[in-house]
């Protein structure tokens, strides 16, 4: 079913229920039109009999339209532009490939928009989460020094024991990190990260602070003197094709093992018929499996 616009019908094999899918289903994205089949991320097989790629295993994620103003992939089949899919990395299962797409493309956007360069120090808030760990892997692959922030001993800096992130200064010879990538959305941590940045540092944030408070107190005198840049990132405002190009640039990293997707043991596999329960829970890593 290949039309003049280059659209192909794909058999979905795996699709995670992402936090943004749940928010979208509740109408919390202003541009979504209903009724709508949700589902941003997918991995599957091309089944279009008119396509030379029939049988190819592919994966991808949404942009501004897919699952928002066009039906998404929480279904057995869906129509996706051939420019919006990439060949699935051989080392990843369908579930791993589908689960990696939003976290890794979001991480890439946050790093690229912050102008990250090899040799720079990147402070990652929420380094053990899905997006945060993707930022860690990509920053390491790009030749950066990474300082992870998480609760407990899971990263270089314990945010519970060091809420001002003062250790980031100590670990950079009092210079401060070049970039902070915020994958948490905590107002106090955001403030601490901004204040600990080095000269001309960049604070690149993905989620806004939650809990009904989207405002972060900022010392503008310090920001002015340090020439700090604040960078907001919203993956939904990028096209499917643009995000596919990001994924293509990562395939070699997944193949070499430098980039690592979530383990299947951390996923809860459910059928398409059970997806409503997964949406209702929202706290676990559900993956709709049709394999």
């Amino acid at each position: 079913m290949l039309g003049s616009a280059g659209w192909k019908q794909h058999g979905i094999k795996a699709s995670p229920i992402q936090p943004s899918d749940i928010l979208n289903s509740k109408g919390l994205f202003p541009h979504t039109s209903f009724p709508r089949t949700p589902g941003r991320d997918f991995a599957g097989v091309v089944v279009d009999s008119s396509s030379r790629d029939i049988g190819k295993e592919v994966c991808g994620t949404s942009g501004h339209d897919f699952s928002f103003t066009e039906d998404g992939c929480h279904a057995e089949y869906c129509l996706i532009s051939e420019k919006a899919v990439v060949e699935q990395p051989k080392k990843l299962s369908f579930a791993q490939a589908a689960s990696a797409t939003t976290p890794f493309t979001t991480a890439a956007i946050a790093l690229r928009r912050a102008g990250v360069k090899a040799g720079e120090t990147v402070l990652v808030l929420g380094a053990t989460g899905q997006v945060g760990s993707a930022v860690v892997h990509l920053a390491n692959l790009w030749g950066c020094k990474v300082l992870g922030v998480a609760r407990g001993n899971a990263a270089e800096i314990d945010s519970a024991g060091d809420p001002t992130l003062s250790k980031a200064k100590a670990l950079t010879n009092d210079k401060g990190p070049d970039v902070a990538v915020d994958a948490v959305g905590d107002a106090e941590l955001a403030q601490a990260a901004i204040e600990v940045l080095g000269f001309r540092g960049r604070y690149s944030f993905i989620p806004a602070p939650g809990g009904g408070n989207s405002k972060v107190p900022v010392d503008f005198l310090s920001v002015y003197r340090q020439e700090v840049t604040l960078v907001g990132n919203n993956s939904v405002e990028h096209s499917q094709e643009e995000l596919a190009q990001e994924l293509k640039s990562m395939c070699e990293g997944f193949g070499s093992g430098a980039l690592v997707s979530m383990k299947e043991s951390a996923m809860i596999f459910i059928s398409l018929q059970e997806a409503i329960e997964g949406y209702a829970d929202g706290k676990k890593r559900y993956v709709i499996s049709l394999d």
Side-chain angles (χ1 to χ4, degrees), residues 47-135:
V47 296
D48 186 346
S49 61
S50 67
S51 171
R52 62 183 179 183
D53 293 330
I54 188 169
K56 180 178 286 188
E57 296 178 354
V58 296
C59 61
T61 187
S62 76
H64 185 74
D65 302 320
F66 187 74
S67 84
F68 297 101
T69 59
E70 299 168 359
D71 284 339
C73 53
H74 288 169
E76 293 179 310
Y77 299 92
C78 64
L79 287 170
I80 306 168
S81 168
E82 60 184 349
K83 296 179 181 179
V85 300
V86 301
E87 189 169 355
Q88 181 173 306
K90 301 298 183 185
K91 285 194 173 183
L92 301 184
S93 67
F94 285 120
Q96 288 178 308
S99 297
T101 52
T102 281
F104 274 91
T105 53
T106 302
I109 289 168
L111 288 168
R112 290 195 193 281
R113 282 182 43 76
V116 169
K117 299 183 288 291
E120 291 190 313
T121 299
V122 179
L123 184 72
V124 183
L125 308 186
T128 58
Q130 274 192 278
V131 176
S133 61
V135 174

Side-chain angles (χ1 to χ4, degrees), residues 139-158:
N140 277 322
L141 182 63
W142 295 358
C144 300
K145 177 182 178 180
V146 176
L147 300 178
V149 178
R151 286 185 170 273
N153 299 317
E156 288 81 3
I157 301 174
D158 175 9

